[in-house]
Amino acid sequence: MDNHRNGIAGFRLTEHTWMTELGNWIDAISPDGRRAGALLFDPRVIGLPGVRERVVSTVMTDQHLVLGGLGGLIPVADVVAAGDQVWLLTAQAVSPTLADLLAGAPIDPAGAASVLMETGQTLLALHAAGVTHGSVHPGTVVITAEGAALLSERGLSDAIRGQISPRERDAAGWASLARGLAASFTQTAPRAAGLFERAAGTATTLGLDAARAMLHQERAALPGGLISRDALARAARGRSAFAQAPSFAAQPPPVPQDEGDIVTLLRVPSSGSPPRLQFGPGVGPGAGAGAGAGAGSAGTAQQPRQETTAERIWREGRDGAATVHQPEKRSGGRVARVSRRRRRRTILSTALFAVVMAGAIVAWFRLTDVPELAVQSIDVVAPKKTLGCGGAIVLTGTVVTNGGVGEIRYEWRKNLDKEVVKGSLRTSADKTSYSVPLRWTLSGKSNVKATATLKVLSPGPARTDKASFTYKC
């Protein structure tokens, strides 16, 4: 990243970075001064045959969805190539994530319920549009300064693997999210923990729509019966790297430098008409959206664009995602009796499916031989060239695992200051080598040997390695 130490395509890069399976995320500032994000794809991933093309196609689909009215996604501003580097630039901040907040302190039950309601709503809208997310976990749930929960990296994990995840994978990811949140309230709010556990089971057996309905209908199990973003917003603002250094965003832009040949990989959509969304089999703009409305007006040039299923789901769920004591509408006695019968059938169905799924899960674990995650080795490499005045350098750490699935926590330490850069990454069964880069910027007149040490904290036992380079100015 030496050629782009100050920024890329008008986006200013900060020192706040973290790793995912896709590459190196960096908090950034957009050309108009707003918080944004920049993802430098791992060259070993983006360089594989067909991956770049699939990533571009995925991002263009997202842009069409967002322009068409579907909310809940981190909007992508551009995908650019600079030499052999490929960058994804977002129009909104991509931190803090839910994983960041949970690493600091448990969030409140009202905020946890809000996260589940909003992410579930977004996933349902995506499914209605014929696409899936494919990688739902705390690291891809971004919490905004207003407490809203947005999904990032939509479809990118599938794009690099050349696959399309089924809807069931999204439901399973959401259920895992709910169970993880439930675990943080077992002692402090057991009723809320029980609600989130039930929602997780409902998502895997009856679907996300039923799970969201359960959360809303049984919100009395939450403290005060609230589903609210308020405390979540405060936690997000407290964890933001920009909140910790507010003066950075106020600084004037740096003097433009020659960034070399930077080209966009996205085709700009036509501005003459709204984009047409692509739908999966059996899903279309008329499904459940009043397809018979407007009959007789076919051929009229001024006929308004029909709302898509995805847009309808997002619009109808938007206000319910962060409700505070929304009263339920009461109907007549006959409708109430039908509603009670439906609830009884739902409870029986849920119990039956839970028994079946529990047996299936036990059988799956018995038949599957997935090893417990272990780190086999780590290696740190630094560029051999001398770093000049006010320059930045990237040291690369490589972590090799046994192919187990889980989370690796690590930290970087520098010998010239007391800064500790902490990070984590999720591992998968089909990959054993992971890149963990460190971007180090030095300034001032000096001639020193700089050493960076990488330490893998978990899974244990702890392992360390280090590498050095020379800074001369």
Side-chain angles (χ1 to χ4, degrees):
M1 291 178 8
D2 291 33
N3 295 333
H4 310 286
R5 59 178 180 266
N6 292 321
I8 180 72
F11 283 67
R12 284 183 284 159
L13 305 179
T14 74
E15 297 292 330
H16 183 218
T17 70
W18 64 100
M19 285 296 300
T20 72
E21 64 173 341
L22 304 174
N24 189 20
W25 273 107
I26 307 170
D27 260 334
I29 299 178
S30 67
D32 58 1
R34 292 181 297 177
R35 288 196 59 198
L39 169 63
L40 174 58
F41 283 99
D42 186 333
R44 294 172 298 181
V45 170
I46 201 69
L48 295 174
V51 170
R52 180 185 295 201
E53 292 74 15
R54 292 195 296 269
V55 165
V56 169
S57 176
T58 297
V59 170
M60 291 185 67
T61 296
D62 280 9
Q63 288 188 325
H64 288 175
L65 290 169
V66 172
L67 289 174
L70 189 149
L73 296 178
I74 291 291
V76 176
D78 205 351
V79 178
V80 300
D84 58 352
Q85 296 181 346
V86 177
W87 295 75
L88 182 145
L89 307 172
T90 67
Q92 191 159 342
V94 288
S95 73
T97 64
L98 182 60
D100 294 330
L101 298 187
L102 292 175
I107 63 176
D108 69 308
S114 177
V115 168
L116 293 174
M117 290 289 284
E118 293 188 2
T119 53
Q121 167 201 342
T122 301
L123 291 173
L124 286 168
L126 290 173
H127 297 172
V131 298
T132 56
H133 185 282
S135 185
V136 179
H137 56 77
T140 57
V141 179
V142 177
I143 308 300
T144 71
E146 294 76 30
L150 305 181
L151 293 177
S152 68
E153 300 184 10
R154 206 289 306 170
L156 295 180
S157 179
D158 282 354
I160 66 176
R161 289 178 170 82
Q163 65 184 26
I164 299 177
S165 291
R167 297 178 182 183
E168 291 77 12
R169 181 179 177 89
D170 284 351
W174 188 92
S176 178
L177 203 66
R179 291 191 178 95
L181 291 170
S184 63
F185 300 119
T186 304
Q187 301 297 326
T188 58
R191 292 186 64 201
L195 174 59
F196 296 153
E197 284 285 358
R198 293 194 299 277
T202 302
T204 55
T205 56
L206 301 178
L208 290 169
D209 200 14
R212 289 185 76 250
M214 171 181 285
L215 282 173
H216 181 74
Q217 293 165 3
E218 300 184 20
R219 63 187 182 278
L222 302 172
L226 300 180
I227 299 177
S228 171
R229 296 174 174 173
D230 294 345
L232 195 64
R234 290 193 295 271
R237 290 194 291 269
R239 285 286 297 180
S240 169
F242 283 73
Q244 297 164 15
S247 61
F248 184 87
Q251 293 177 2
V255 178
Q257 297 185 356
D258 181 11
E259 295 183 300
D261 294 330
I262 297 179
V263 296
T264 180
L265 300 180
L266 302 182
R267 298 186 298 274
V268 180
S270 171
S271 58
S273 60
R276 296 176 59 87
L277 303 184
Q278 299 297 316
F279 298 91
V283 181
S297 60
T300 303
Q302 282 74 29
Q303 182 179 6
R305 181 176 71 90
Q306 191 175 33
E307 185 179 47
T308 68
T309 306
E311 292 168 2
R312 175 179 58 79
I313 289 175
W314 175 257
R315 175 180 53 78
E316 292 177 352
R318 178 179 52 202
D319 297 330
T323 57
V324 179
H325 279 80
Q326 285 193 353
E328 296 182 6
K329 296 183 179 179
R330 301 294 180 184
S331 54
R334 179 177 179 276
V335 175
R337 287 193 297 274
V338 172
S339 178
R340 284 194 295 271
R341 287 197 298 270
R342 286 177 177 172
R343 282 197 294 270
R344 285 195 294 270
R345 287 198 299 269
T346 298
I347 292 171
L348 290 173
S349 299
T350 301
L352 177 60
F353 272 97
V355 172
V356 174
M357 288 300 295
I361 291 171
V362 171
W364 183 85
F365 275 109
R366 287 177 177 175
L367 294 173
T368 307
D369 186 21
V370 178
E372 182 179 357
L373 176 62
V375 174
Q376 295 182 335
S377 66
I378 66 172
D379 181 58
V380 178
V381 176
K384 295 181 179 180
K385 65 179 182 180
T386 299
L387 182 64
C389 302
I393 204 165
V394 177
L395 299 94
T396 303
T398 301
V399 180
V400 178
T401 73
N402 64 337
V405 177
E407 182 182 57
I408 295 175
R409 294 190 303 109
Y410 62 89
E411 66 180 23
W412 283 98
R413 292 181 180 269
K414 308 172 185 179
N415 69 324
L416 300 182
D417 56 49
K418 296 182 180 180
E419 181 185 11
V420 179
V421 181
K422 295 186 177 182
S424 64
L425 60 89
R426 296 289 302 179
T427 63
S428 57
D430 59 349
K431 185 177 179 182
T432 58
S433 180
Y434 300 86
S435 178
V436 182
L438 172 69
R439 183 172 181 265
W440 192 349
T441 302
L442 292 172
S443 60
K445 292 187 177 298
S446 182
N447 186 355
V448 295
K449 181 180 180 181
T451 301
T453 301
L454 173 64
K455 181 177 183 180
V456 173
L457 304 175
S458 67
R463 295 174 180 268
T464 61
D465 193 31
K466 59 186 177 181
S468 303
F469 64 92
T470 300
Y471 173 75
K472 185 176 182 179
C473 178

